[in-house]
Amino acid sequence: MDTADVDELVRRARSGDRGAFSSLYRMHREAVARLVFRMLGRASDIEDVVQEVFLQVHRSLGDFRGQSKFSTWIHRITVNVVLMIRRAERSRPVFADEPLATEHERDAGLLPDEEATLRRRLDAFKRLLDRISEKKRTVYVLHDIEGLAPAEIATIVDAPVLTVRTRLFYARRELAELMREEPALAQLVDEIGGLGAQLGASEQSPRTSNALPAEGKAT
């Protein structure tokens, strides 16, 4: 749908048009659910979190000024809701006995032993991903798994693009160090970007420029 059409739906939804808001919901629900799963790490609570996200979207429609894409604005609300939930449940194990992926993300072309190997690797990788800081983890998920550009991520997390690139650099480096200690992943250290892509819907996730900071303090 064209930006002008989305803007018109937003305008109508602000005026109380329930049909317009329902259209916005249908347009963005799948993307929100996917991001919730990838950030939260489990499938069992997805529907509740998605409903909370769209409740926040409905409440905040009056604050949307069109300074970014509507989809970017929804991503920002989604990230904030998920981070709030993660902070509230620090003591709860996140990856215990949860489905690895939603049905549409599974590769039906894999043989059973190949799928089992992939599931073990991705399960181990997601446990490691949960060990890095929220800021680095969020940027990594948005870039290497969701495939968003640094400029869009900067709007979502309210940080300069350079800060986004720096967090991504340190997230990748920290994950590589953790992977070396994980038997199921040690041999894949050089493919860390590729493994992240397997958590996403595309075959290969975009990479940032090689001109990332080689030293300095992570933020």
Side-chain angles (χ1 to χ4, degrees), residues 75-201:
H75 270 84
R76 182 170 185 173
I77 291 176
T78 304
V79 167
N80 289 337
V81 169
V82 172
L83 292 180
M84 178 184 66
I85 290 171
R86 285 176 59 83
R87 284 193 295 267
E89 56 182 26
R90 290 292 188 184
S91 61
R92 175 182 173 182
V94 176
F95 292 105
D97 300 323
E98 296 291 351
L100 178 64
T102 54
E103 289 294 334
H104 72 277
E105 290 178 313
R106 292 183 181 133
D107 189 342
L110 292 177
L111 296 174
D113 58 336
E114 293 174 332
E115 182 177 4
T117 298
L118 178 60
R119 287 174 64 86
R120 284 195 300 271
R121 287 175 174 175
L122 295 184
D123 187 55
F125 182 72
K126 293 175 85 173
R127 286 197 303 270
L128 298 185
L129 188 59
D130 201 46
R131 290 171 59 183
I132 68 177
S133 72
E134 289 287 10
K135 289 182 178 181
K136 288 181 283 189
R137 184 180 189 277
T138 298
V139 167
Y140 183 87
V141 169
L142 290 173
H143 186 277
D144 275 15
I145 300 178
E146 283 289 297
L148 301 185
E152 186 170 4
I153 297 172
T155 299
I156 292 170
V157 302
D158 194 22
V161 174
L162 180 59
T163 298
V164 168
R165 292 184 179 275
T166 301
R167 290 176 185 172
L168 179 61
F169 172 81
Y170 283 105
R172 287 174 171 169
R173 190 172 75 172
E174 188 171 341
L175 283 169
E177 292 172 352
L178 291 171
M179 287 172 68
R180 292 188 180 95
E181 302 171 1
E182 174 60 52
L185 301 175
Q187 68 187 59
L188 300 176
V189 171
D190 293 335
E191 303 173 20
I192 187 170
L195 188 59
Q198 290 182 57
L199 285 166

Side-chain angles (χ1 to χ4, degrees), residues 14-135:
R14 280 177 176 168
S15 300
D17 187 330
R18 294 184 178 181
F21 187 79
S22 294
S23 295
L24 292 172
Y25 174 83
R26 288 192 297 271
M27 288 169 57
H28 297 283
R29 187 204 175 282
E30 184 175 354
V32 168
R34 185 176 62 241
L35 180 56
V36 167
F37 173 77
R38 290 169 179 169
M39 289 193 66
L40 202 56
R42 61 179 184 271
S44 58
D45 298 334
I46 285 181
E47 192 57 40
D48 288 343
V49 179
V50 168
Q51 293 302 318
E52 178 61 27
V53 168
F54 280 98
L55 179 61
Q56 295 294 334
V57 168
H58 188 271
R59 289 173 174 170
S60 305
L61 270 177
D63 298 329
F64 178 66
R65 304 301 180 192
Q67 297 175 337
S68 63
K69 293 187 299 183
F70 187 71
S71 59
T72 300
W73 184 71
I74 287 186
H75 270 84
R76 182 170 185 173
I77 291 176
T78 304
V79 167
N80 289 337
V81 169
V82 172
L83 292 180
M84 178 184 66
I85 290 171
R86 285 176 59 83
R87 284 193 295 267
E89 56 182 26
R90 290 292 188 184
S91 61
R92 175 182 173 182
V94 176
F95 292 105
D97 300 323
E98 296 291 351
L100 178 64
T102 54
E103 289 294 334
H104 72 277
E105 290 178 313
R106 292 183 181 133
D107 189 342
L110 292 177
L111 296 174
D113 58 336
E114 293 174 332
E115 182 177 4
T117 298
L118 178 60
R119 287 174 64 86
R120 284 195 300 271
R121 287 175 174 175
L122 295 184
D123 187 55
F125 182 72
K126 293 175 85 173
R127 286 197 303 270
L128 298 185
L129 188 59
D130 201 46
R131 290 171 59 183
I132 68 177
S133 72
E134 289 287 10
K135 289 182 178 181

